[in-house]
Amino acid sequence: MDKLIIDGGQALKGVIRISGSKNAALPVLFAALMADGDVILENVPGLRDIHTTLKLLTLLGCDSRFRGEYVEVRAGDLVPEAPYDLVRTMRASVLCLGPLLAKLGRARVALPGGCAIGSRPVDLHLRALEQMGARFDLDSGYIMGTCQRLKGAHIIFDFPTVGGTENLLMAASLADGETVLENSAREPEVVDLANFLNACGARITGQGTSVITIKGVSSLKGCRYRVMSDRIEAGTYMVAGAITQGDLVLSNCPFEELEAVVAKLREMGVHIEKEKSGIRVKPNGQLNCVDLVTLPYPGFPTDMQAQIMALMCVADGSGMIKETIFENRFMHALELIRMGARIKLSGQTAMIRGGARLTGAPVMASDLRASASLVLAGLAARGRTEVRRIYHLDRGYESMEQKLSAVGARISREKE
Ligand code: UD1
């Protein structure tokens, strides 16, 4: 297992290129299952979750090739089974359920278990697919789904679930008749998936709002599509610039999609502007803490909560973070405390007393964004930080140590 060694205290200066979005590329890859022709995707990040998805697509009967930032997928004779060994390493595997049911009328997909950031059930996905005519049984830890051709339905989600909205967008694209999804997720990655499906011949409108209408079509064709850039990776490097009192330019960077994050960082005193070459991030002297609540898009993203907590630890004053999307998503706080942070946890709320002088320490990463938060703290800390179990980081951040060292960080990877 690898670990990252960081000698903190360097102001980061220079340009970081943001990669394609993991959370947009994953559903788009699963949607490629449904296309009758070749799908060519651009701006796909070289991440472990992408490789896992390509492995799963191979087992499901697709040919794929990954070169540079390009992925080519050609669906062949599909096999409707997603085995536990792959699903347990990546919960997003459940996104093959909608496409398989729509295309084959059956699917056997391992039920993803709990994960470090909470129980994360898929009940909303299943209930909505049932409304379209699917039947589900649980057999030896597998969800067994069957249906005739799925039928359009009027679905009101109890919660704007991102994965649930994506599964339904895919399923409804090949269904018989019109589906209306109410209280659906408005995340930019959902919009990207809808745009990709439309490029394949689907008839989706309303993406980006909470009511999405999908008119089913009888088949989808292949297409060439550029996946959006990663707004969470971009937000993470914005915090890296701010926490080291640096001066960074982020190229290939989404901006409008980061509005809530940019607004909070500006409130903390970070100067963020769109320039010709990219998004420039430069703190205006000492920063101050703020209060924030994580919410579905367009609210502040839960996937940026851990990183902004690291920044608040070194800012002036005190602030409160309330996590409303996932239970148990404060594990990074306990590790930050080991580096000198002053954080009090109470249920889903964290109180941060800023002004901490962080010192390097050996810390343990527990999930993807928690790992990023510890790297950020390490960049700001005095002395050496060792971030262990970084396989989480490799799931979601492409070449993180190379990108950071190119702008002046002293960071390297070692075998544990
Ligand atoms: C996606 C993102 C993840 C992000 C999250 C919220 C991907 C691959 N992952 O995850 O990075 O943190 O959106 O922005 O895109 N829930 C249920 N029942 C369900 C579905 C969800 O109770 O059937 C609950 C979950 O347990 C969680 C909340 O709803 O507490 C949000 O989940 P959801 O929006 O579905 O997130 P994911 O698609 O899993």
Side-chain angles (χ1 to χ4, degrees):
M1 228 182 282
D2 292 353
K3 62 182 175 186
L4 284 181
I5 313 287
I6 304 161
D7 289 304
Q10 309 299 309
L12 303 186
K13 291 189 177 147
V15 181
I16 296 181
R17 187 175 189 277
I18 301 305
S19 299
S21 161
K22 166 178 90 73
N23 285 355
L26 295 178
V28 164
L29 282 168
F30 285 113
L33 254 181
M34 303 192 298
D36 291 333
D38 289 2
V39 168
I40 299 170
L41 301 174
E42 300 171 19
N43 204 30
V44 180
L47 295 170
R48 210 158 58 97
D49 275 6
I50 300 292
H51 291 290
T52 305
T53 304
L54 294 178
K55 247 190 239 168
L56 183 50
L57 286 180
T58 306
L59 291 180
L60 295 172
C62 300
D63 271 343
S64 65
R65 259 192 309 178
F66 193 177
R67 270 207 219 118
E69 297 178 354
Y70 296 87
V71 172
E72 230 180 287
V73 182
R74 177 181 298 176
D77 289 334
L78 296 180
V79 180
E81 169 145 346
Y84 179 64
D85 276 350
L86 282 181
V87 175
R88 78 185 161 83
T89 65
M90 191 188 69
R91 290 182 41 85
S93 313
V94 78
L95 291 173
C96 67
L97 194 56
L100 288 175
L101 283 174
K103 194 78 185 165
L104 289 182
R106 60 207 156 94
R108 188 168 186 267
V109 179
L111 189 62
C115 71
I117 59 172
S119 59
R120 297 182 86 170
V122 292
D123 55 321
L124 302 177
H125 303 225
L126 301 185
R127 218 182 303 150
L129 288 165
E130 273 171 356
Q131 282 184 259
M132 300 189 71
R135 293 276 161 271
F136 294 104
D137 282 314
L138 195 62
D139 172 41
S140 318
Y142 278 73
I143 305 166
M144 304 275 295
T146 49
C147 60
Q148 303 292 318
R149 188 173 178 204
L150 291 169
K151 286 201 171 25
H154 187 167
I155 291 156
I156 306 175
F157 286 113
D158 287 352
F159 179 86
T161 156
V162 173
T165 305
E166 291 168 345
N167 242 333
L168 269 286
L169 270 182
M170 296 186 276
S173 289
L174 285 181
D176 184 16
E178 181 178 287
T179 299
V180 177
L181 305 177
E182 283 201 56
N183 198 24
S184 52
R186 289 184 277 168
E187 268 68 2
E189 294 77 13
V190 171
V191 176
D192 214 33
L193 171 65
N195 293 345
F196 166 73
L197 287 165
N198 281 346
C200 295
R203 293 172 65 202
I204 302 172
T205 52
Q207 60 271 34
T209 76
S210 56
V211 184
I212 305 179
T213 304
I214 307 117
K215 291 191 164 72
V217 295
S218 54
S219 65
L220 294 172
K221 56 184 174 22
C223 75
R224 192 180 179 101
Y225 188 79
R226 184 176 174 81
V227 173
M228 68 177 281
S229 294
D230 198 312
R231 64 190 169 107
I232 305 301
E233 188 198 19
T236 303
Y237 290 129
M238 284 181 179
V239 175
I243 206 167
T244 63
Q245 290 288 324
D247 186 356
L248 289 178
V249 173
L250 308 180
S251 66
N252 195 37
C253 183
F255 192 55
E256 286 72 28
E257 297 83 350
L258 267 166
E259 207 176 331
V261 173
V262 168
K264 275 297 160 195
L265 289 173
R266 283 179 175 155
E267 200 183 325
M268 291 183 78
V270 187
H271 184 81
I272 302 177
E273 284 313 321
K274 203 170 184 172
E275 294 185 354
K276 234 187 183 163
S277 50
I279 308 302
R280 175 129 185 237
V281 183
K282 195 173 181 310
N284 282 336
Q286 185 53 26
L287 305 175
N288 52 277
C289 284
V290 290
D291 293 337
L292 70 88
V293 181
T294 64
L295 285 170
Y297 192 85
F300 190 90
T302 173
D303 284 353
M304 277 301 298
Q305 179 259 105
Q307 300 89 314
I308 206 141
M309 184 185 287
L311 183 58
M312 292 234 259
C313 292
V314 300
D316 283 344
S318 51
M320 186 201 76
I321 296 181
K322 190 165 181 210
E323 170 62 53
T324 73
I325 308 293
F326 291 110
E327 55 198 86
N328 209 10
R329 204 176 195 182
F330 280 145
M331 258 112 70
H332 45 282
L334 304 173
E335 298 297 293
L336 290 171
I337 290 169
R338 298 187 53 248
M339 297 177 73
R342 295 175 296 186
I343 305 168
K344 279 217 167 75
L345 297 180
S346 166
Q348 297 295 87
T349 304
M351 288 297 306
I352 298 116
R353 194 144 55 88
R357 305 201 60 182
L358 298 180
T359 49
V363 287
M364 191 82 89
S366 54
D367 67 65
L368 172 53
R369 307 305 169 186
S371 319
S373 154
L374 298 176
V375 170
L376 293 168
L379 291 171
R382 278 182 309 165
R384 174 163 287 199
T385 299
E386 286 188 10
V387 185
R388 299 188 178 159
R389 287 207 194 150
I390 55 158
Y391 55 86
H392 294 291
L393 271 181
D394 295 334
R395 288 187 40 219
Y397 289 92
E398 187 174 38
S399 317
M400 188 184 226
E401 68 269 26
Q402 286 91 327
K403 288 189 184 187
L404 286 172
S405 15
V407 291
R410 289 184 301 190
I411 181 169
S412 58
R413 179 183 287 253
E414 278 182 15
K415 291 254 172 269
E416 277 202 55

